[in-house]
Each structure stands twice: as C-alpha cells, then as structure tokens.
Amino acid sequence: MDKFYGRKLQLLPTINLQEIPPTSVIIQAVQKIKNRYQCFRCGNQNQHFFATHFCAKCSSHCTYCRKCITMGKMSTCTELIINEDDLRFDPSISGLEWDGKLSPQQKEASIKVVEAVNENQNLLLWAVCGAGKTEMLFEGIEAALQQGKFVCITTPRVDVVLELSIRFRQAFPTISIAVLYGGSEEIWDGNRITICTVHQLMKFRHTFHLLIIDEVDAFPYNIETHLHWVANESRTIKGSTVQMTATPTSEQQLLALKNKIKNVMVPARYHRQPLPVPSFKWIGNWRKTIRKTQKLPNSLEKWIKLFIQKGCPIFLFVPTINECIFIEEAVKKITVKSASVHSQDPQRHEKVSAFRNGDTQVLITTTILERGVTIPNSQIAVLGADEEIFTESALVQIAGRAGRHINYAKGEVIFFHNGISEEMVKAKKQILLMNHLGIKKGWLDNK
Ligand SMILES: [Zn+2]
Ligand SMILES: [Zn+2]
C-alpha cells in the first residue's frame, strides 16, 4: 500500500469497499476545473506542475500532479476518500501530566488558547522568542482531548518537530502521539495528537479539530501558498486553528494591534528581562575589504575580540552560503576555534553541538540558524544586515537568539551594514514595541 494513512483519506484502490464508512465522500484527486487542473491532495493549481502521460493503471491518458509526487502519484484516475467522524466526548481523557507552573504572561495566553478550542475559533498567538510558547498550549490541548477532538501541532521545520515531540511525550505520556516528517518511520493510526511538518498535512483531510501551526512565518510555509490550502483542508470544518509566531507579517501585526483578529500577545520572556535591542554599525564595503586584506573589517574584528576575551559564544550571521567560507578564513586569523555552517552542510549537527559545548567559539552561519538554536550567553552579529536575505522577521529571529537564558538574560546584538535598510528599522521597531508592551503589562522587571 502507498504510504498513505489517515482516518479521513485513503487511496481507493487499496481498501476494501465495504470498509468505507457511509458518511464518506469520494473525489477525484486531480480534477480539471474551468480548463485548469487542480490537485486535491496538495492544493497545487500551478499548471506548470501538471504532466500528462499514458497511464498503465487505467490504460488511458492521465494527468498527474508533480508538486506532491514524492508522496505517491495523484492523477485524474486516482480517487480520494474523505469523511468526517463524529466526536466522542470523553472528559476522562486528559493525559496532561505536566507539573510545571505557567508564568502570568503564559497563563494569559493559555486561557486564550482554551477559549479558542472551546468556541472553535481561530487565534494568532504572537509571542516573542524565548517566551515559552509550548507550555502555553498544554491546557488548550487538554481541553481538546477531553472534548474528543483530534489535535495536530505542525511546523515547517523538521528540527522543531523533533524538539516538540520530546516535550509533548513528556507532558502527555499516556496519549498516543504520531510524529511524522519526510523519512520518519511512524505511521498515523488514529493518534489523538499528531506532530508533523506542514508537508505531511497533505495526508489528512478534515481530520484535526485543533490545528496548531508553529512558526507560521518560516520557510516554506511563508511562501508556498498551496500549503495554506493543505493546512485548511486538514482541519475539520468546525474547529480552531492557532497560528503561533514570534514574527508575524506586517499585515498580521496590524490586524492584531487593532484587534481585528482574535489574538494574544506575549511580549515578555519568561525570565522577565527585556529583549536585547540591536545596535547598528556602519561597516562600508566589507566584501572588498576582506578580499583585499584577507582580514575582517576593523570594527567587526574588534567586536569579536572583545567577546572572545569575555569567553562568550559568538554567532556571526552572513548573507550567503558561498561567503561562509571566505569569511571563515578571515575569522580563523582571530581564533582557530571557529567554524561555518549552512543548510547544505552535512556536518551541520556536529558543528552546532561543538558550538554548544564550547569547542567552537565563533560560529559563522547563514539564516539557517535564525531559529531554534539556543546557546546560553551567546552574542550576535549580523554582517551585511542591510542585504535582502535579512528581512524584518529574519532579523527579529536572529536578535532573539540573545539573552534567552535566565542566567544570561542580557546579550549584545549588532547589525553591521553598508547603509541602513528599511527591514533593519522595522525589526528594531518591533523589538522596541514588544519591550514597551511588556513594561505596560507589568511583565518586565525594571532592572
Ligand atoms: Zn498535488
Ligand atoms: Zn490513470
């Protein structure tokens, strides 16, 4: 059988017709609507991603979707079964065995999540990096489980899936949890909680009553709009979608600030210290300087040396993969305890752990490490912060690497640039706004 599982969605030829529940609907997977093809598994409508060939299965010419072909071919002759089960209300199922305590700001968010679940509403949860988002979800998920609902926590990033799965298995030890990502061995078997990458949602239709999307602004969810269709389709018609992010789009920010959408903002970190505010430092044409002298520009070199002396781990963010290497050579002249890492680096995980345990002191990286990795007492520099790759959201995430640990709640963030960009200004403004709201709410200590 195809690797296709799901209470709601199975490939027709592979199951016994008698097993199809009477409430099911059968649809054609790829359909031609008004002369345009559409894939009803992945939502693709881009005609470029459809191909027609002679199909051995049905002995005629079929059109199939290339966009989601890695998950098994969906064509004009494939059928999907969709059905929506009734809820089985069971207040005895809760399974939450987390005994930590929510901070007041986490509690406020948690109440909103429960409310959204109870009232089948959507919610934007805007919480700064390091606010402790995961714990804010526990009570809402508990309520959903008690109501017999199916829960999914999804995110664009595999490493986040793995991290979340550990935390949820600890918090809900008696609940069956499915963890799905490209290459994972597990299969979905009616599990009450599912933790998966957004691509895996293609395997589900009208399944989850509570869909939590973590890091909604992360790649590829932020640009591959067919995934939004996929996410919508994986949710039951009546249900709630909770979108979580530290860096909403400008449009979402505006809607939230004007209260046009149901939202909850958590502008303060759990340790009650403000977010480190980035400073800007002009560095001129640094590429030219490095090429000519094989050395880092003075101001950057001075900054790195200062924190090497203090024994701090240093993140140096750079614009492109190619530049990682030649910048690394220049950094090596200051300290040999340096390394560079990028998305295509096979030793990525080893290098990050060497940085974590102190064997590496300066880690040169592309935006690949803008999220997720937390190193206590790390100091953050961005080289070429004015370049296109460093969007408002990327810069806020990068700045969010600093000061996360309770013992090292302060940290330096510096943007080296050759002309201040609008995105830099917006990022700084967003961080200042969060600190301002944190103070207003009384959630920050004035130290
Ligand atoms: Zn498709
Ligand atoms: Zn066919």
Side-chain angles (χ1 to χ4, degrees), residues 39-44 50 65-69 74 202:
C39 172
F40 281 81
R41 172 166 68 182
C42 75
N44 172 35
F50 290 101
C65 174
R66 296 195 294 130
K67 189 111 197 175
C68 61
I69 192 146
M74 283 287 134
M202 283 182 206

Side-chain angles (χ1 to χ4, degrees), residues 53-63 73 75-78:
H53 70 160
F54 185 78
C55 170
K57 212 162 69 187
C58 68
S59 305
S60 66
H61 280 87
C62 283
T63 299
K73 191 184 274 181
S75 74
T76 37
C77 73
T78 321

Side-chain angles (χ1 to χ4, degrees), residues 11-12 23 29 38 48 67 93 121 204 279 355 391 433:
L11 288 176
L12 185 59
T23 50
Q38 185 177 347
H48 173 73
K67 189 111 197 175
I93 293 180
Q121 288 172 326
F204 299 93
S279 58
F355 187 50
T391 57
L433 170 72

Side-chain angles (χ1 to χ4, degrees), residues 3 5 169 177-181 183-188 191:
K3 262 185 103 182
Y5 34 85
R169 284 190 162 136
I177 298 179
V179 179
L180 313 174
Y181 52 91
S184 71
E185 300 286 307
E186 282 179 44
I187 58 161
W188 193 82
N191 306 67

Side-chain angles (χ1 to χ4, degrees), residues 159-213:
D159 38 356
V160 179
V161 167
L162 297 174
E163 201 186 301
L164 288 174
S165 65
I166 296 168
R167 310 209 26 211
F168 276 94
R169 284 190 162 136
Q170 282 166 351
F172 295 91
T174 59
I175 300 289
S176 66
I177 298 179
V179 179
L180 313 174
Y181 52 91
S184 71
E185 300 286 307
E186 282 179 44
I187 58 161
W188 193 82
D189 185 23
N191 306 67
R192 299 305 300 278
I193 298 178
T194 303
I195 302 173
C196 67
T197 54
V198 281
H199 280 102
Q200 296 291 316
L201 291 179
M202 283 182 206
K203 294 173 176 169
F204 299 93
R205 210 50 59 88
H206 297 213
T207 305
F208 306 111
H209 307 87
L210 170 59
L211 178 68
I212 298 163
I213 311 173

Side-chain angles (χ1 to χ4, degrees), residues 52 70 132 348:
T52 305
T70 52
R348 187 174 140 195

